[in-house]
Amino acid sequence: MAQSSDKIFALIQDDPWLEPFSSQIEARYRRYASQLASIEQQYGSLRSFANVHHHLGFHYDQEKKGWWYREWAPRAKALSLIGDFNQWDRQATQMTRGDKGVWEVFVADQETQTSMSHQTEVKVHVEGDNGNLDRIPAYIRRAIQKAGSHDFVGQIWEPPHPFVWTDQAFQVDEIDSLLIYECHVGMALEEHKVGSWHEFATQILPRISRLGYTAIQLMAVHEHPYYGSFGYHVSNFFAPSSRFGTPEELKFLINEAHKVGIAVIMDVVHSHAVKNVAEGLNQFDGSEAQYFHAGPRGEHPDWDSKLFDYGKEEVQQFLLSNLTYWLEEFHFDGFRFDGVTSMLYFHHGNTVFDHYDKYFGDGIEWDAITYLQLANHLIHEIRPSAIVIAEDMSGIPGACIPIEDGGLGFDYRLGMGIPDYWIKLLKHSKDEEWNLHEIWHTLSNRRYKEKTIAYAESHDQGLVGDKTIAFRLMDQEMYWHMQVGDGHAVIERGIALHKLIRLLTATLGGEAYLSFIGNEFGHPEWIDFPREGNNWSYQHARRQWSLVDREDLTYKFLQQFDQEMIHLLKTFKILSSLPAQQIWLDEENLILIYERNNLIFVCGLHPTQSVPDYIFPVPQVGTYRVILDSDSPDMGGHGRVDPDSRYFSQTSKSQGPTLQIYIPSRTALVFEKEKDNE
C-alpha cells in the first residue's frame, strides 16, 4: 500500500506544474494510506469498518427474540430508551455503557400491546452537560414529523414483508453516456403539494425515460427538518425523508428506474449537518465535540450549520457506514458529494483559486481530504462501476484521478464555472459582442484526464433571487407570448439561444451532461419552497408539466430540441469521445465550427446576420448531411435549412477539403459524413 518516496505520481507526470508540490501530494496520499492501514489492522478491512450501522442503532435478535439498541455517546452521563412501547417513561428502559462510549439495551419481546415492533415510535433520553434531552437516535432509519407539530420522532422500521428487488439485470457500466437529470421529488408534481417517491416513479420517471436521460440525481434524500433547505440541512443521515413516503417507496422508485435502464445517483450531504439539537446530531452526548469540531472550526459561517470532525475515527465510521447503507440497502448507483469545496478548506472556498499554492498551502483541511479518499475507495470497492461526483468549484488538482496516482478518487467533477459564465455573459454582454475565444476557452478548458460534468444550469441557478436561463432570456414576456405563432422577438431570441447554449455546453463542456428537472423545456420563474415569507405557498415549489404538454405553447419546442440533442449525444457517443477540436472561428460573423467524434458542429451565433455560401475546412473528403438543426420548425425555428440537402466537399491544394453551406443566424447545425457506399 505504501507509495515509494522516489516514485513520481501519475498526477505529477501528467501535469509538470505540480512538481513543486510533489511532497504535499505524496503527504496527502500517505495520510490516506496510513489511515487505511490502521483501519485494516484494527477491523480487518475497510468494508468491516464501514458496517457499524449493522451494530449501532436498532436490530432485531432472532435468537433472543427482542431488540438491541446501541448508541455511541461517549460524554453522556446516562441514556434511556423511550417510546410508545414504554409510555415514554424515562426511567423504564435504562441503557448500559460499554467500550468506547457505546451504550446498549436489550428489549425482549412481550406478549402485550406495548412490545417494540415495526413503526414503534422512539427517542433516546440523554443526560449530558447540556441538560437532559430527548433525542432522535443517530442511526435511526426513519424519522417522522408528528401531525400538527414541529416535533420529529424516530420510528423503528422493520416491515414484515421486505421489499423484493427485480433490478438484477441492471448494470451501471453498460451506460455509454452519462446524461443526468437532476431532480427533487417533492417539487416534481404540478399540484400544490409535496410529491412522493411513488408518484415520481409512476408519473415523472416515464417522462425522463422518454427524454433519453440515463441517470437521475435525487436531491433531499436524507431526512431534514426544514423543507425549504432543499435537503441540505440534514438531521437524520440514515433515514430517507419521510415527507416523500416510506423507505420501501424509495426502493420502488430506484427499482423502477433500473427497469428502464436509468441509474440513480444520490445527492449525499457529508459536508455539514443541521444545527438543530432536537432533530439532529448537534450536542448529542451533551458535548460540543462529539460528531463536530468544537468552537468556530465546527461552525459554517455561511450555511449556519455544523462541520464534522473528519479526523475522528467514530465520525469516519459513521459517514462511511452511511455510504455503505445507501449503496447496499437502497441500490443507489453512486453519489454526488455536496459541498466538497467547503470540506477541503478551512475558508470553505471563500478565496480566489488563482495559483497552485491555494491547493497545497495553508488552509487545507487534510482530514477531509483523507475522508474523501477513504470514501471513494470504499464506494468503488462495494460497487466498482459506481458514479461518484465532486461538487467542487476550486478545481483542486487530482480530484478525479485514482488515489494511487496521487488523486482523490472521484469519477467526475461538476463544471461549476460553466453556468456562472453563461449568467455573466447574458447579464453583461450584448449578443453581438459575444467573444467566441472566451466561449471556447471556458467550455473546453478542463484538467487533463479528469472527467467533467457539463451543465448550463442546475438547481442553484433557479433558486429564488436568481433566474433560470429561460427566464433570464425571456423574463416576463414568458407570461404573455409563449403561444405558437406569436412571433415575439424576445421569445424567438430566447428559444434560439436556449438551444444554442445547451448544445455548446453539452458538446464542448465535458464527458457527461446534467440538466435540472423542467429546465429542458425552459420552465419559467424561480424555485421557492413554502415558507413564512411566501405565505407557505407551493406555487414555485412544483413543476408545471401542463406547459410543455400543451400543443399551443412553445415550451414543447425546447423539449423537442433537448430530446433530439440527448439522442445525438447517445447515438454518436459524443461524451465518451475525445474532446472537441476547433476547426474554424470567425469573430466577425460570430461563427464557431468544431469537430467531435467525427461530427461537425456549426454554430452561427450572430443575432441577425445569416451567411450564405459559407466556406470552411472539414477533416475529410465526402458527402455530408445535417442530422440536427436547431432552426427546424418542429423545434421552434424558421426552417431555413433544407433537411434533405447533401453537401459535397470540395478540395483545393491550398485548403484541402471544404464545405460550402448556408448558416442562418442564431442556429446550430450538426453534420455527419455519409459512408462512402451510401
Side-chain angles (χ1 to χ4, degrees), residues 283-575:
Q283 301 177 35
F284 189 91
D285 68 352
S287 71
E288 188 181 10
Q290 182 186 359
Y291 286 95
F292 311 110
H293 287 290
R297 186 176 174 184
E299 305 279 340
H300 198 299
D302 299 323
W303 296 348
D304 191 33
S305 55
K306 299 296 294 182
L307 297 175
F308 286 105
D309 181 353
Y310 300 107
K312 185 179 289 185
E313 180 181 294
E314 292 87 352
V315 175
Q316 289 180 2
Q317 195 170 33
F318 174 82
L319 295 173
L320 292 172
S321 294
N322 192 237
L323 298 174
T324 302
Y325 170 72
W326 291 112
L327 287 171
E328 295 185 342
E329 183 71 19
F330 288 90
H331 292 204
F332 275 101
D333 300 298
F335 302 99
R336 177 262 202 189
F337 274 76
D338 168 69
V340 167
T341 305
S342 176
M343 297 172 70
L344 295 177
Y345 312 97
F346 292 126
H347 52 64
H348 308 303
N350 291 321
T351 188
V352 177
F353 292 93
D354 54 0
H355 193 278
Y356 276 0
D357 283 337
K358 299 291 183 71
Y359 304 120
F360 302 105
D362 295 334
I364 308 302
E365 172 56 286
W366 295 108
D367 288 339
I369 289 178
T370 299
Y371 165 68
L372 290 171
Q373 290 173 310
L374 289 170
N376 282 315
H377 178 131
L378 174 72
I379 293 165
H380 291 110
E381 183 177 330
I382 295 172
R383 188 157 301 171
S385 60
I387 301 161
V388 193
I389 303 163
E391 189 213 19
D392 170 48
M393 49 75 64
S394 75
I396 186 170
C400 302
I401 295 294
I403 300 167
E404 60 271 19
D405 291 337
L408 304 188
F410 287 98
D411 298 302
Y412 294 88
R413 67 184 343 141
L414 289 174
M416 300 182 72
I418 297 175
D420 292 344
Y421 174 75
W422 286 125
I423 290 171
K424 175 185 173 184
L425 192 66
L426 293 173
K427 285 177 68 173
H428 301 297
S429 299
K430 296 178 181 179
D431 295 2
E432 60 271 22
E433 296 173 348
W434 284 16
N435 186 319
L436 298 187
H437 292 282
E438 193 177 71
I439 291 173
W440 176 268
H441 175 76
T442 301
L443 294 179
S444 63
N445 181 35
R446 50 191 179 272
R447 291 195 59 81
Y448 180 55
K449 290 186 179 180
E450 299 200 42
K451 293 188 287 188
T452 296
I453 297 174
Y455 63 106
E457 55 187 339
S458 67
H459 70 276
D460 285 327
Q461 285 66 48
L463 294 174
V464 64
D466 207 337
K467 296 179 180 180
T468 64
I469 287 178
F471 208 53
R472 193 173 294 281
L473 286 167
M474 297 177 274
D475 213 82
Q476 63 182 355
E477 304 302 335
M478 296 186 79
Y479 299 130
W480 319 109
H481 298 287
M482 292 297 281
Q483 290 80 15
V484 173
D486 186 297
H488 194 277
V490 171
I491 301 301
E492 291 211 349
R493 169 185 178 265
I495 289 176
L497 290 183
H498 197 274
K499 292 182 287 186
L500 280 166
I501 287 170
R502 287 175 178 275
L503 185 68
L504 285 164
T505 300
T507 56
L508 289 179
E511 292 71 36
Y513 177 73
L514 176 145
S515 184
F516 181 68
I517 181 172
N519 287 2
E520 73 278 0
F521 65 84
H523 197 284
E525 301 177 327
W526 51 88
I527 303 164
D528 190 13
F529 286 89
R531 55 187 172 85
E532 189 174 3
N534 64 18
N535 200 27
W536 303 103
S537 170
Y538 287 92
Q539 174 64 28
H540 298 297
R542 63 195 184 107
R543 297 285 89 176
Q544 299 180 60
W545 302 106
S546 59
L547 296 175
V548 72
D549 291 341
R550 285 176 54 176
E551 286 297 317
D552 62 328
L553 297 181
T554 55
Y555 294 99
K556 67 177 184 179
F557 294 140
L558 291 176
Q559 178 171 277
Q560 183 63 33
F561 174 78
D562 196 83
Q563 192 167 349
E564 294 290 334
M565 180 184 77
I566 295 297
H567 178 73
L568 177 91
L569 295 172
K570 289 168 65 176
T571 302
F572 293 92
K573 296 181 171 53
I574 299 298
L575 299 174

